[in-house]
Amino acid sequence: MAFFITSSPHAHSKKSTPELMKWVMIAALPGLIAQSYYFGWGTIIQLILGIVVALLLETAVLLIRKRHPISGLRDYSVLVTAWLLAIAIPPYSPWWVIVVGLIFAVVIAKHLYGGIGQNIFNPAMVAYVVLLISFPVQMTSWVAPIQLSQDPVHFVDAFSLIFSGFNHEGLSLAQIRTGIDGVTMATPLDAYKSALHAGSTASEAMQQPQFDGLAGIGWEWVNLAYLAGGLLLIKLRVINWHIPVAFLASLLLVSTVFSVITPGETASPILHLLSGATMLGAFFIATDPVSASTTVKGRLIFGAFIGALVFVIRSWGGFPDGVAFAILLANMCVPMIDYYTKPRTYGH
């Protein structure tokens, strides 16, 4: 009788890998809808383009590796990678940004290590970091929420911006990014950090147009939408609660401590929790069953480490958000974390 040994992820669930991947995409739908509502059609167009490119790349690589494409595509893992990258990049990035990112994600970060279950880093985050370092202008060109935009972007304009760089009126992305006050808009974390570096106080930084709320117009609702999707994944036991809870608790604790020790010098806990990629990272990226820690104690340490790193990078690093970098750095530590937190063998 043949005994087959397969690589991770080894999910303790009756659900198959394709079913788990489907639930991840379903749970990410509220966040996608919120992003599209506040920032326009660009994210949906990027998602469709990303899925097509990812399927073509996966098929080509599987053929090169002399594997049957249909069986390789059935796990839907490449669709999740395309989905995560599409919602992570600015919605009106040039079309080639997501193409280059997916080449790194699928070909290098996934198949160069042996395919699904063999990669030591999250493929989508590898692609995101490569893009951010290589093309910083394109990767930081977030548009203002629709409520603050002088020229709301409709579907046709979104399509034209992504594939030509201009809308039907001839306006470039840089012109469209200008908000109602005539200043090019930045994400809340970037705007807050830049204001503090310019000598403004915390209260003055929060007076900027994009801060009409707890953590920035649109961003707080996007994060709450991903929180709702993440809780659904936990309820369905698609993911374990240890990593997201440790991530968010660590970020909350560290940001609260520094808010008390150095008031006005770092962002508030609410801004950290409800802005940027916090909830997306906590529930949909850090919980990757392949690149994350596999032991119970290890998951708690892994998540807490990411939360602390996110605060450090956001507060004193060169990038306004730090989720992708924190997750990749934590991925490097997984072998050591698992080694020192492995459970005792039964009988010892």
Side-chain angles (χ1 to χ4, degrees), residues 252-338:
L252 175 62
L253 176 63
V254 176
S255 59
T256 301
V257 169
F258 276 89
S259 294
V260 174
I261 297 175
T262 57
E265 296 184 15
T266 58
S268 67
I270 293 296
L271 184 58
H272 276 294
L273 290 175
L274 297 181
S275 192
T278 301
M279 297 299 172
L280 176 64
F283 291 97
F284 292 88
I285 301 174
T287 53
D288 177 15
V290 178
S291 57
S293 180
T294 56
T295 66
V296 174
K297 291 181 181 178
R299 293 190 193 108
L300 294 173
I301 296 172
F302 179 79
F305 183 50
I306 294 173
L309 279 178
V310 167
F311 176 82
V312 170
I313 296 171
R314 286 179 175 178
S315 300
W316 303 294
F319 296 94
D321 205 343
V323 173
F325 290 97
I327 290 175
L328 292 182
L329 289 171
N331 289 157
M332 295 180 185
C333 302
V334 164
M336 182 181 67
I337 294 173
D338 283 351

Side-chain angles (χ1 to χ4, degrees), residues 214-259:
L214 294 174
I217 296 176
W219 290 97
E220 53 199 18
W221 291 107
V222 170
N223 273 274
L224 289 173
Y226 283 120
L227 171 61
L231 293 176
L232 174 64
L233 292 179
I234 292 177
K235 179 178 175 59
L236 296 174
R237 296 186 178 181
V238 174
I239 62 174
N240 294 300
W241 61 267
H242 308 86
I243 292 175
V245 169
F247 180 144
L248 299 177
S250 173
L251 181 58
L252 175 62
L253 176 63
V254 176
S255 59
T256 301
V257 169
F258 276 89
S259 294

Side-chain angles (χ1 to χ4, degrees), residues 26 70 88 137 140 199 225 258 326 341:
I26 291 171
I70 300 301
V137 175
T140 54
F258 276 89
T341 59

Side-chain angles (χ1 to χ4, degrees), residues 6-341:
T6 60
S7 61
S8 58
H10 301 295
H12 295 283
S13 170
K14 294 181 179 179
K15 300 182 180 68
S16 62
T17 298
E19 190 174 356
L20 294 175
M21 297 297 176
K22 287 180 184 177
W23 276 114
V24 169
M25 290 185 284
I26 291 171
L29 276 175
L32 175 66
I33 293 171
Q35 278 187 246
S36 301
Y37 175 78
Y38 284 102
F39 300 103
W41 288 95
T43 302
I44 294 178
I45 296 174
Q46 297 281 6
L47 176 59
I48 295 172
L49 174 61
I51 289 175
V52 172
V53 172
L55 290 173
L56 292 175
L57 286 170
E58 183 85 348
T59 301
V61 175
L62 288 172
L63 288 174
I64 292 172
R65 296 181 63 193
K66 298 181 179 180
R67 298 192 176 185
H68 199 283
I70 300 301
S71 60
L73 294 171
R74 281 177 180 168
D75 58 33
Y76 302 123
S77 61
V78 74
L79 298 184
V80 173
T81 298
W83 192 301
L84 293 177
L85 186 59
I87 60 181
I89 66 175
Y92 302 115
S93 302
W95 63 269
W96 51 264
V97 169
I98 194 167
V99 173
V100 172
L102 285 170
I103 291 173
F104 272 91
V106 177
V107 179
I108 298 176
K110 180 181 179 181
H111 283 286
L112 195 63
Y113 285 93
I116 184 172
Q118 306 295 330
N119 50 288
I120 61 176
F121 299 107
N122 184 288
M125 290 302 95
V126 170
Y128 180 85
V129 168
V130 168
L131 291 172
L132 187 59
I133 294 174
S134 304
F135 314 107
V137 175
Q138 289 79 7
M139 288 296 290
T140 54
S141 298
W142 285 88
V143 295
I146 292 177
Q147 293 87 336
L148 299 178
S149 178
Q150 288 181 323
D151 300 287
V153 180
H154 302 290
F155 181 83
V156 175
D157 287 336
F159 190 89
S160 180
L161 276 171
I162 292 171
F163 289 96
S164 71
F166 299 91
N167 67 2
H168 74 284
E169 296 178 350
L171 296 177
S172 67
L173 179 59
Q175 293 171 309
I176 292 175
R177 289 183 63 214
T178 302
I180 56 176
D181 59 351
V183 178
T184 299
M185 302 296 290
T187 60
L189 287 170
D190 193 8
Y192 186 89
K193 190 172 186 177
S194 299
L196 291 184
H197 287 172
S200 301
T201 64
S203 58
E204 290 173 341
M206 294 296 291
Q207 295 303 314
Q208 298 179 78
Q210 56 264 61
F211 286 105
D212 186 16
L214 294 174
I217 296 176
W219 290 97
E220 53 199 18
W221 291 107
V222 170
N223 273 274
L224 289 173
Y226 283 120
L227 171 61
L231 293 176
L232 174 64
L233 292 179
I234 292 177
K235 179 178 175 59
L236 296 174
R237 296 186 178 181
V238 174
I239 62 174
N240 294 300
W241 61 267
H242 308 86
I243 292 175
V245 169
F247 180 144
L248 299 177
S250 173
L251 181 58
L252 175 62
L253 176 63
V254 176
S255 59
T256 301
V257 169
F258 276 89
S259 294
V260 174
I261 297 175
T262 57
E265 296 184 15
T266 58
S268 67
I270 293 296
L271 184 58
H272 276 294
L273 290 175
L274 297 181
S275 192
T278 301
M279 297 299 172
L280 176 64
F283 291 97
F284 292 88
I285 301 174
T287 53
D288 177 15
V290 178
S291 57
S293 180
T294 56
T295 66
V296 174
K297 291 181 181 178
R299 293 190 193 108
L300 294 173
I301 296 172
F302 179 79
F305 183 50
I306 294 173
L309 279 178
V310 167
F311 176 82
V312 170
I313 296 171
R314 286 179 175 178
S315 300
W316 303 294
F319 296 94
D321 205 343
V323 173
F325 290 97
I327 290 175
L328 292 182
L329 289 171
N331 289 157
M332 295 180 185
C333 302
V334 164
M336 182 181 67
I337 294 173
D338 283 351
Y339 178 80
Y340 285 104
T341 59

